[in-house]
Amino acid sequence: MCWYAVITLSGEEEKLIAYLQKEFQLTVIFPKAERHFRIQKQDILAIKPLSAGCVFVECEDFTPYFKQIRGVCNLQAYHKIAQEDAQVLFSLMDEQNIIRMSKGIMVDHMPVVKAGPLCGYEKKIVKINTHKRLAE
C-alpha cells in the first residue's frame, strides 16, 4: 500500500475524510500540530491543521478514486508520498494524529531536543526561529 497526499479546499477536509471512509473504506489521516501563540501577553497552545486542505490516504492507486469523487469533494490534486517521508511523518504523530510540541535547548548553536517527537531528529532541523521559539 502507498500513501497519497490529497489536496482539497481548506475547510473541506472533514467532508472528504467522511466520504472516503464511508464510500471506499480507506484509511485517511488528517494530521494536526500543536501551535504556540502569544496574544495580549497570554500564552495559548492551539491545535491547528499541519497543512490546511491536505489529507493523507492509504491505497494502492488513488487515480480511480480521484476520478470518481473529484466533483463531490472539490479535490484539487493528489501526490504519491515516498515511503520514507510517510514513516517520518507518522513517527512524529501521536494516537490522535497530532504532532506535539517538542522541548529542547541550544548547545553550541546546535539544537538538543529533550522531550517530544523531534527526539532523534536534531540533524534534520534546518531552521530555528529563536524569537518565536520554533524549529523547522
Side-chain angles (χ1 to χ4, degrees):
M1 293 287 225
C2 300
W3 283 96
Y4 291 86
V6 180
I7 313 300
T8 186
L9 296 177
S10 180
E12 298 215 359
E13 302 92 352
E14 298 296 337
K15 178 182 172 184
L16 175 62
I17 291 168
Y19 189 81
L20 288 172
Q21 289 175 338
K22 181 181 176 192
E23 296 296 323
F24 305 109
Q25 293 77 42
L26 294 174
T27 302
V28 184
I29 293 177
F30 181 37
K32 297 179 180 165
E34 282 185 337
R35 306 280 182 171
H36 179 263
F37 297 100
R38 178 167 270 183
I39 300 174
Q40 297 178 353
K41 298 182 182 180
Q42 290 186 356
D43 290 329
I44 298 171
L45 192 63
I47 296 176
K48 301 278 186 178
L50 183 64
S51 179
C54 182
V55 298
F56 296 90
V57 180
E58 184 182 33
C59 61
E60 288 295 330
D61 182 21
F62 194 75
T63 305
Y65 302 112
F66 184 75
K67 290 178 180 176
Q68 281 184 326
I69 61 175
R70 186 171 187 182
V72 177
C73 296
N74 294 316
L75 293 185
Q76 306 295 310
Y78 69 95
H79 306 280
K80 187 174 181 180
I81 299 175
Q83 192 67 29
E84 303 82 37
D85 295 338
Q87 287 175 345
V88 169
L89 176 65
F90 299 134
S91 71
L92 296 175
M93 292 188 295
D94 64 8
E95 307 81 40
Q96 290 110 13
N97 299 325
I98 299 172
I99 299 176
R100 303 288 176 185
M101 297 281 287
S102 294
K103 294 182 170 81
I105 58 172
M106 295 292 288
V107 176
D108 296 327
H109 302 288
M110 294 297 294
V112 177
V113 180
K114 298 289 186 180
L118 287 178
C119 281
Y121 290 104
E122 288 90 346
K123 298 219 187 264
K124 293 189 182 238
I125 296 173
V126 294
K127 181 179 171 184
I128 298 173
N129 186 336
T130 55
H131 179 70
K132 292 186 176 181
R133 297 181 172 183
L134 293 176
E136 298 174 359

